[in-house]
Every structure is written in C-alpha cells, then in structure tokens.
C-alpha cells in the first residue's frame, strides 16, 4: 500500500487520543477518514475539527457506533461505503481501562473491558471483512504493552490486551491468503485522555498521539513484501523512579 492517496480508512474510537492522532496523520497523506465515537455529536465534532486543519484534498466524517454491537459496526461500515465507496484500511482503536485487584474488580467492569477491547475489534474486523478482501487492504489493532506485560490490578485490562494481541496475530495468518496485511501496535505510556487523564506538560515524556499516527503511516507505506506484524513502542526516556 505504498501509494496512499485517495485510500479510505475507518478508525474506531477516533474522537480523541490515539485514534484522533492517527486520523490526523492519515488525512495528511491524502487518505479519506471515517472516525467513530459513542455519540453522533462527539464524532461529528471531532471530524469537523479534523477538517478544519486544512486537508483540502480529502475529508473526514464522524459516525456514531458502538464497538460492542456487531449491528452497529455493520451500520458504520455501510455508512463509510455510502460516503466513499470502499474501505482500504480498518483500525480497531477503541478501548477502555478498568483497573482493580481481582477482589475488587466488578463483573460489570470486567465485561465492559472484554467487550470493548477484545470483542470490539472482532466485530469491527468482521463487519469490514468483505471490503478489506475486495481492496486487499490493511487491518491494524491498537493493543498495548499490557498485552505482553502483566501487572497487579490489571486482570481485566491484561486479559483484554493479551487476547487482542493473540487475536490479531492469528488473524494475520488467516487473512494473508486474501492479500490483506494485519498488524498490531502495542504502545506503552501515551499522552491521551485514557482512564480520565487530561494531557498536559507533565506528559511530555510519554509517546504522543501523533507518534502513533506516524507509525501507522510508516506501516502503510512499507513495501508490500514486508510485514511488521507486531510492533512494541514505548517512551524512550521514562522518568526515573
């Protein structure tokens, strides 16, 4: 996928943070972008902000979609196809984090974490499968270093991200016969709104959302004969404890 101009990307959870940063980077490459959010208002507002950044040749649209619902993901895919006529890139980015010891972890928190972080990417990919087969496209999941490094209080989050990493790697083997490329990106600390954080100057040492966007562009521009299937990325100079 070396020529990115006029490609079409669907990004779940694209209203802020990593998803928004990826959308910004793709628009700069001449890629049409559809971002999803939990409400139509937030999705359309984020798309309007993206379009105001001066990407004259392409544009973004915002869609309400819930990754926990396969029907909702099907509707999002249908809306993208109606607007742009194809889908070349699907990025499963939507995620949530609940952190508690297993004694304190609620059933509801466990279920929401698994539904959004693990079942969500499956629904997203499944809904976009026919389009990706037709375009010989690219599927990228945003996992986490928590998908390979476990920690106390991370039972739900670790389970979801370990699962997502394994899911994406298996999918890579399933889909390469169709000419579809599949990668998972596993970031460490990122300066986003995740888990109630509000990015500020204290987050300067962290990975920035545009860094993940740049990484996605690099993946898309990679020579088709080569596939970085699992990418770990972390801050180069974390603060000393």
């Amino acid at each position: 996928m070396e020529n990115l101009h006029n490609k079409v990307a669907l990004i779940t959870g694209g209203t802020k943070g990593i998803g928004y940063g990826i959308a910004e980077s793709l628009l700069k490459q001449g890629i049409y972008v559809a971002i999803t959010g939990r409400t139509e208002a937030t999705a359309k507002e984020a798309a309007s902000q993206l379009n105001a950044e001066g990407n004259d040749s392409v544009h973004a649209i915002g869609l309400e979609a819930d990754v926990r619902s396969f029907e909702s993901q099907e509707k999002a895919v249908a809306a993208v196809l109606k607007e742009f006529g194809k889908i070349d890139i699907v990025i499963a980015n939507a995620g949530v984090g609940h952190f508690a010891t297993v004694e304190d972890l609620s059933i509801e928190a466990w279920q929401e974490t698994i539904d959004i972080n693990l079942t969500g990417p499956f629904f997203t990919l499944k809904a976009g499968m026919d389009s990706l087969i037709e375009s010989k496209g690219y599927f990228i999941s945003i996992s986490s270093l928590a998908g390979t490094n476990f920690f106390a209080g991370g039972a739900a989050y670790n389970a979801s991200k370990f699962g997502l990493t394994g899911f994406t790697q298996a999918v890579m083997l399933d889909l390469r016969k169709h000419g579809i490329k599949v990668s998972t990106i596993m970031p460490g600390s990122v300066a986003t709104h995740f888990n109630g954080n509000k990015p500020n100057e204290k987050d300067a040492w962290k990975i920035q959302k545009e860094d993940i966007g740049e990484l996605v562009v690099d993946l898309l521009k990679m020579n088709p004969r080569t596939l970085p299937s699992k990418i770990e990325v972390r801050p180069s100079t974390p603060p000393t404890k």
Side-chain angles (χ1 to χ4, degrees):
M1 200 177 286
E2 296 166 279
N3 182 7
L4 302 183
H5 190 68
N6 288 334
K7 299 293 187 184
V8 176
L10 169 62
I11 306 170
T12 65
T15 61
K16 58 186 178 181
I18 289 175
Y20 190 92
I22 293 172
E24 286 181 306
S25 296
L26 297 192
L27 285 164
K28 290 175 183 177
Q29 295 295 319
I31 298 173
Y32 292 94
V33 171
I35 57 172
T36 71
R38 289 197 178 190
T39 69
E40 182 177 13
T42 56
K44 289 188 178 300
E45 180 182 359
S48 178
Q49 292 172 350
L50 288 165
N51 290 327
E53 294 177 13
N55 306 292
D56 296 332
S57 62
V58 291
H59 67 277
I61 62 170
L63 304 169
E64 178 183 0
D66 186 344
V67 298
R68 295 170 293 183
S69 164
F70 180 61
E71 181 182 6
S72 182
Q73 293 306 96
E74 285 187 308
K75 288 180 179 178
V77 166
V80 178
L81 293 175
K82 182 178 180 180
E83 177 75 16
F84 299 121
K86 63 174 182 172
I87 299 176
D88 301 288
I89 304 154
V90 174
I91 299 176
N93 166 74
V96 68
H98 291 295
F99 303 97
T101 65
V102 71
E103 305 101 305
D104 296 328
L105 184 64
S106 70
I107 301 297
E108 293 76 18
W110 168 271
Q111 196 64 62
E112 184 179 54
T113 304
I114 299 300
D115 286 349
I116 293 176
N117 293 1
L118 183 53
T119 305
F122 169 67
F123 285 166
T124 299
L125 175 60
K126 199 73 170 175
M129 184 76 69
D130 290 344
S131 296
L132 287 177
I133 290 174
E134 183 175 349
S135 65
K136 296 187 183 298
Y138 210 133
F139 175 70
I140 297 172
S141 71
I142 306 300
S143 185
S144 169
L145 287 182
T148 192
N149 301 321
F150 52 85
F151 54 89
Y157 193 69
N158 283 145
S160 70
K161 292 300 187 178
F162 268 73
L164 179 56
T165 299
F167 166 77
T168 310
Q169 293 291 279
V171 162
M172 178 267 295
L173 299 178
D174 286 344
L175 297 185
R176 58 185 177 182
K177 64 179 179 288
H178 297 296
I180 299 173
K181 298 180 76 174
V182 177
S183 299
T184 188
I185 298 173
M186 306 170 67
S189 299
V190 183
T192 70
H193 294 83
F194 186 74
N195 205 33
N197 181 59
K198 186 174 182 180
N200 56 67
E201 64 277 2
K202 293 181 180 179
D203 291 328
W205 63 272
K206 296 180 180 179
I207 300 164
Q208 302 298 306
K209 67 182 190 305
E210 59 267 25
D211 301 337
I212 304 299
E214 182 180 343
L215 178 54
V216 169
V217 170
D218 289 343
L219 282 174
L220 297 176
K221 287 185 172 181
M222 183 73 64
N223 190 296
R225 67 173 173 260
T226 302
L227 177 64
S229 59
K230 183 170 69 173
I231 302 96
E232 294 188 7
V233 55
R234 49 179 50 79
S236 57
T237 311
T240 302
K241 293 183 179 181

